[in-house]
Amino acid sequence: MAEGQMVLRMAPLPGAELVQRPLQLYRYLLRCCRQLPTKGIQEHYKHTVRQSFRVHSDEDNPERIQQIIKRAIEDADWIMNKLPFPLKKKRDPGTN
């Protein structure tokens, strides 16, 4: 493996392995938000993404930026796996 290359477990959406720069991360995380089950949850996490982006906007250490990117993708994976969805499948009314 090349130096500085990230190793990601499972990613919430395809393309996580291509995220190398903060703006790519920002767009990727906003795409993840669109996959969340309700508008309320989507808006909550979009706000969180924007706040984190602002907090780290002055970071200029390349190693630290890669750490932040890796952690953000891992956190998105955790959130996407924790929430009860996909909700596309309807339950049979006769089951509990």
Side-chain angles (χ1 to χ4, degrees):
M1 175 181 342
E3 185 177 323
Q5 190 177 17
M6 287 192 300
V7 175
L8 297 173
R9 208 178 73 226
M10 295 174 7
L13 287 178
E17 68 281 356
L18 303 175
V19 174
Q20 295 295 317
R21 296 188 320 262
L23 187 55
Q24 292 171 321
L25 175 65
Y26 183 75
R27 290 176 179 155
Y28 176 80
L29 294 174
L30 290 181
R31 283 194 307 274
C32 287
C33 289
R34 289 194 298 248
Q35 301 299 311
L36 296 172
T38 67
K39 283 291 181 193
I41 294 171
Q42 290 174 13
E43 291 303 317
H44 169 77
Y45 282 105
K46 280 197 255 182
H47 176 75
T48 301
V49 167
R50 290 180 185 117
Q51 291 291 90
S52 290
F53 193 81
R54 286 184 196 114
V55 166
H56 296 291
S57 65
D58 61 346
E59 184 62 63
D60 59 359
N61 179 332
E63 284 184 31
R64 178 70 180 130
I65 291 169
Q66 291 306 308
Q67 288 174 345
I68 293 168
I69 289 171
K70 182 178 182 289
R71 179 60 190 263
I73 292 172
E74 288 171 353
D75 289 350
D77 180 43
W78 183 85
I79 291 165
M80 301 288 279
N81 285 321
K82 182 167 176 53
L83 293 172
F85 69 93
L87 298 178
K88 296 173 188 168
K89 189 175 184 180
K90 291 187 177 186
R91 279 183 63 164
D92 180 6
T95 62
N96 288 337

